[in-house]
Amino acid sequence: MNMLFDFTVDKATATIYITREFAADLDLVWDAFTKAEMLDQWMGPKPFRVQTKEMDFREGGRWLFAMVSPENVARYSLVEYIEIQPKSSFSTKNSFCDENGNPINTGFTSSLTTNSFKAGAGTTTVNIVKRMASLSELEQFIAGGFYKEGTAMGFRNLDDYLLTLVTNK
């Protein structure tokens, strides 16, 4: 099944807009985006993997995780939960950090992201709005197509993961 995937960059507002449809119900897709044990299964574009160090999904909580390379090199990111509307949307502040969640200088400050979820007939559509701090940070972030391709790969991993969950019910 070919699911909708739209990736748009608006340089005027330093914002990335992503729309992706998944062949699973809202509860399952919501959990896949908000539970560490599920995020670790799909988020990293292969051959990378995601490893959660800390997860506290609540307003004011945070998710500290590493993107781990095949050589076992970990690059940490911090997601700070700002607002959560259960089964509908959540917004976050995202930044690169050390293994304890302290900011590190990577040339990026932080981005603000809103993830919205909408149930359809046997599908769930996720809309992601990622606002970077500046146009130069946006251009660095999307340079070489890595972010778009990495996002697409992660979503294909999620398609595969959701399929295993649906067929094992």
Side-chain angles (χ1 to χ4, degrees):
M1 184 174 345
N2 211 357
M3 305 306 287
L4 169 72
F5 178 56
D6 183 61
F7 187 101
T8 305
V9 175
D10 180 353
K11 290 188 176 184
T13 60
T15 303
I16 300 168
Y17 296 90
I18 302 168
T19 301
R20 182 59 154 78
E21 189 178 47
F22 297 96
D25 68 35
L26 176 63
D27 288 347
L28 195 54
V29 175
W30 175 265
D31 286 351
F33 275 79
T34 60
K35 292 186 173 178
E37 64 274 15
M38 294 177 82
L39 283 158
D40 286 355
Q41 297 299 313
W42 69 267
M43 184 99 165
K46 292 176 180 136
F48 292 84
R49 61 187 167 82
V50 163
Q51 188 174 332
T52 295
K53 181 170 181 186
E54 176 187 322
M55 169 64 112
D56 184 10
F57 184 71
R58 64 175 175 83
E59 291 180 357
R62 67 189 207 162
W63 176 38
L64 175 61
F65 70 94
M67 186 75 67
V68 183
S69 74
E71 300 77 34
N72 245 14
V73 176
R75 302 265 188 259
Y76 285 86
S77 293
L78 180 64
V79 174
E80 298 171 273
Y81 297 103
I82 299 166
E83 184 179 359
I84 298 171
Q85 300 291 326
K87 307 287 171 106
S88 175
S89 68
F90 63 91
S91 58
T92 60
K93 177 182 174 189
N94 310 286
S95 54
F96 295 107
C97 62
D98 66 15
E99 67 277 2
N100 297 310
N102 300 309
I104 57 171
N105 186 1
T106 60
F108 292 103
T109 48
S110 62
S111 62
L112 294 174
T113 303
T114 300
N115 298 274
S116 304
F117 300 76
K118 186 168 189 223
T123 64
T124 300
T125 302
V126 180
N127 288 295
I128 301 168
V129 178
K130 185 174 198 66
R131 187 176 308 274
M132 305 300 289
S134 67
L135 176 58
S136 64
E137 287 190 23
L138 171 73
E139 288 178 333
Q140 262 185 287
F141 202 69
I142 61 173
F146 178 75
Y147 184 70
K148 180 178 182 178
E149 188 50 38
T151 300
M153 290 170 71
F155 286 161
R156 284 192 296 273
N157 293 344
L158 180 52
D159 286 332
D160 295 344
Y161 179 59
L162 290 170
L163 192 60
T164 67
L165 296 175
V166 171
T167 53
N168 289 334
K169 270 190 173 174

